[in-house]
Amino acid sequence: MLNEEVDDTEFFQQDFTTASDWELFNARLEEIFHEWKLSFGQTTFRKLAHHELASCRWNVARETIKFADVELQVVHYRAQLEPDRTEGSEPVEPVSGCQTFVDLLSIENDYCMAYGQRSDGDEDEQKLHPLAQWYGLREFVIVAPVKKSISNESRIRILMSSVHIAVSESSCDVPVFVQAMDKVQHVYLGVCESGPVRMSFDIVHLHLTPPTCKYLSGLLEVFKGKIGVAYVDPVAVSVRFTYQLARFVSGSFVSDKSVPFTEGWTGTDAVSLPFGVSIDPVSELIVHCTWPQVADNVVVDSQTYSDFDPLTAPLWSLRAQFEDTPVCYLADCLQEYLQISDSRRALTEYFSELAFGGNVPPIEGANPLDLLTESKIPRLSSVLPGRIVAPKAAPAKLEGPLNDEQLKDMLYYLFPDAQREPRWPYAASVTGPAEFDPLRIKSANADSLVHRLATLLALCNACFGGKRAVAQLWAEFAQEMRYRVERCIQIPG
């Protein structure tokens, strides 16, 4: 029995020389850190200016890797800082050491908020990240799942151990974070190593805030307990109270939309395009009351008493959040007016009586070539006293959205010399000769005839019936201009 040969194929043999999925993931993570040149960081750098992270652009690089059946995305955020932010200011001395530690100890970007997003680039990438807002970091790396969030504690620990190994092996001094739990909770666990120092970033997400953590005294006890040693020196803290007003009720702003040449409009008012908004564009107001760098042994903040009275805060700031797409009268008026330039419809499509060959009474001077070719010697029929000449037919009246009173006032506004006492006379600077300006070859002077005509056409398009009202005013304006040119009448403006 002892001499029988044993078949080795019946036993499981594991090849320990083959790399596992976990080792491949760690190697790929280290390779990405080397490709992004995160090893040993920068030798010298400058300090951040006040709230510079909120106004600068961000450079974002992405790589996708897999760990077992989970697809992860490694994202590198780096702020693009300008070399000199202000002209004429003294140059900032470069700082050496770990860039992350300097940013964490700086107070210039405390309570940093993104006051406005840029339209260039991806909106999500240019938005201020919560990690930059909380810690004031100018550069960091995030490892986040692509699809499902990581909520299993064992998976989070395995992923964090991989990050620790990759950071240590690649000598990366840029903080690396792992996004855990649900993405809307913004829970990031991270690590940063620089030389012999390792810093851990931990976040605890609570559904309900404990009563002791609602005040400064309770929060200090929590942080002092994390240190592990007795800490008796005073702690410098910054406190901010935020008050938000989102419903204005009776205090909301309502602008009066006054349209010229309508009922209730006095002729003494200036003729201008509609300006204002239909609803209040301010969606909410946020007031911040801040106490920067206060020693904890100077103030008291507990459940029974608090020294933090908003009226005594040394620093106040106000932020206004606006609607994404407010309804603005002037913007809508100009956008609709610019669309007319792309219209290919002719004037005769709005008024068929202006069509050539139409069955309409003849208009005086319908053929302008007759005035050029007509002989200067009067015809016999025109000088005979007994000759009965048929009266000339009046020009055809265009029926459109504008009534006679509105059309008359608009023509008086364009040609004020038609009235004995003009209500809207042109200024002397407009009627007089103007200096030649090569930068204004294609632009009209303010309050000139062309300027007034463009204003009226935009008003007709926005408030008096659209393109048909524009066509009606244009036809009347062209007829008046033709009448003045044929009779050598001066054109004002």
Side-chain angles (χ1 to χ4, degrees):
M1 296 293 293
L2 297 177
N3 295 331
E4 293 182 359
E5 295 182 357
V6 179
D7 189 4
D8 294 339
T9 58
E10 296 180 0
F11 295 91
F12 174 74
Q13 297 180 357
Q14 183 176 2
D15 187 5
F16 291 97
T17 61
T18 304
S20 62
D21 294 339
W22 183 62
E23 293 174 337
L24 292 176
F25 173 75
N26 295 344
R28 178 55 184 156
L29 200 59
E30 295 176 21
E31 183 181 353
I32 292 175
F33 291 165
H34 285 294
E35 291 177 357
W36 288 342
K37 300 179 180 179
L38 305 181
S39 301
F40 301 104
Q42 300 179 1
T43 56
T44 58
F45 52 91
R46 69 172 179 86
K47 292 184 178 181
L48 295 173
H50 182 67
H51 283 193
E52 186 176 3
L53 296 179
S55 58
C56 67
R57 299 187 74 257
W58 288 84
N59 185 17
V60 182
R62 302 177 185 272
E63 287 287 345
T64 303
I65 58 177
K66 281 189 176 182
F67 179 36
D69 57 343
V70 180
E71 187 176 5
L72 301 172
Q73 191 174 50
V74 185
V75 188
H76 177 217
Y77 289 87
R78 182 171 58 85
Q80 297 181 359
L81 306 180
E82 299 179 2
D84 294 326
R85 291 184 55 85
T86 56
E87 297 181 358
S89 60
E90 297 181 358
V92 181
E93 296 182 0
V95 183
S96 59
C98 181
Q99 178 179 272
T100 302
F101 296 162
V102 175
D103 292 345
L104 289 172
L105 296 177
S106 176
I107 63 173
E108 295 297 334
N109 285 272
D110 288 351
Y111 306 111
C112 187
M113 301 294 292
Y115 295 102
Q117 304 302 334
R118 291 158 293 277
S119 59
D120 53 339
D122 190 0
E123 183 179 356
D124 294 335
E125 294 183 356
Q126 297 304 322
K127 189 180 298 183
L128 186 64
H129 197 274
L131 291 176
Q133 180 179 348
W134 297 336
Y135 300 116
L137 300 175
R138 75 182 76 182
E139 186 177 8
F140 52 90
V141 178
I142 298 177
V143 180
V146 176
K147 297 180 180 179
K148 296 182 179 180
S149 58
I150 303 176
S151 57
N152 191 352
E153 186 176 355
S154 60
R155 290 189 176 184
I156 296 175
R157 291 181 180 273
I158 294 175
L159 191 56
M160 285 299 300
S161 63
S162 300
V163 170
H164 279 77
I165 294 175
V167 169
S168 178
E169 293 294 332
S170 62
S171 300
C172 173
D173 62 351
V174 176
V176 182
F177 296 88
V178 174
Q179 187 173 11
M181 310 302 290
D182 197 355
K183 292 185 178 181
V184 297
Q185 296 178 352
H186 295 293
V187 177
Y188 297 94
L189 307 177
V191 62
C192 178
E193 290 187 4
S194 178
V197 181
R198 171 183 288 182
M199 176 181 293
S200 298
F201 297 86
D202 295 331
I203 293 180
V204 178
H205 188 276
L206 301 176
H207 293 284
L208 296 176
T209 305
T212 56
C213 294
K214 294 182 179 180
Y215 302 93
L216 179 61
S217 58
L219 291 174
L220 288 177
E221 292 296 331
V222 173
F223 283 101
K224 288 181 179 180
K226 294 290 183 179
I227 298 177
V229 295
Y231 191 86
V232 295
D233 295 335
V235 180
V237 296
S238 297
V239 181
R240 165 174 283 191
F241 289 170
T242 301
Y243 301 92
Q244 181 179 0
L245 178 62
R247 296 182 179 181
F248 302 99
V249 193
S250 60
S252 59
F253 173 77
V254 179
S255 59
D256 183 18
K257 184 179 180 181
S258 178
V259 180
F261 307 107
T262 56
E263 296 182 1
W265 179 78
T266 59
T268 57
D269 297 338
V271 179
S272 60
L273 297 177
F275 184 81
V277 291
S278 59
I279 58 175
D280 196 342
V282 180
S283 60
E284 62 179 0
L285 292 175
I286 303 175
V287 179
H288 301 292
C289 305
T290 310
W291 290 264
Q293 297 296 302
V294 181
D296 67 326
N297 57 357
V298 178
V299 294
V300 177
D301 183 50
S302 61
Q303 296 182 1
T304 58
Y305 177 78
S306 178
D307 288 329
F308 295 113
D309 185 4
L311 297 178
T312 61
L315 182 61
W316 279 50
S317 59
L318 176 66
R319 296 183 62 210
Q321 296 284 354
F322 296 92
E323 298 287 346
D324 295 334
T325 56
V327 180
C328 302
Y329 298 142
L330 182 60
D332 293 346
C333 178
L334 295 179
Q335 289 176 0
E336 294 175 0
Y337 182 57
L338 291 177
Q339 293 177 359
I340 301 180
S341 60
D342 299 332
S343 178
R344 297 182 179 274
R345 300 185 63 181
L347 193 64
T348 55
E349 297 184 27
Y350 298 100
F351 299 101
S352 58
E353 54 267 28
L354 296 179
F356 294 100
N359 188 15
V360 294
I363 301 177
E364 181 182 0
N367 189 3
L369 296 179
D370 293 343
L371 299 177
L372 299 177
T373 59
E374 185 179 3
S375 176
K376 297 182 180 180
I377 302 176
R379 291 175 296 178
L380 182 62
S381 58
S382 62
V383 298
L384 291 177
R387 179 73 174 175
I388 300 176
V389 182
K392 297 181 180 180
K397 182 180 179 181
L398 301 179
E399 296 293 339
L402 299 175
N403 55 40
D404 295 341
E405 192 67 24
Q406 292 174 344
L407 195 59
K408 182 179 66 175
D409 290 342
M410 290 182 182
L411 291 177
Y412 283 155
Y413 177 68
L414 295 174
F415 305 99
D417 57 344
Q419 288 181 302
R420 294 183 179 179
E421 297 181 359
R423 285 190 293 175
W424 303 284
Y426 287 103
S429 58
V430 177
T431 56
E435 297 181 0
F436 175 74
D437 188 357
L439 300 179
R440 298 184 57 184
I441 296 177
K442 296 184 179 181
S443 61
N445 294 328
D447 201 35
S448 61
L449 176 61
V450 179
H451 182 269
R452 291 188 177 187
L453 176 62
T455 303
L456 290 182
L457 292 177
L459 277 175
C460 292
N461 182 60
C463 307
F464 291 99
K467 296 180 180 179
R468 186 172 174 83
V470 174
Q472 182 183 5
L473 178 61
W474 178 258
E476 296 293 341
F477 172 77
Q479 186 174 349
E480 179 66 22
M481 288 290 292
R482 182 175 179 178
Y483 177 83
R484 288 174 175 264
V485 170
E486 291 176 353
R487 288 160 179 77
C488 298
I489 301 177
Q490 184 180 4
I491 299 175

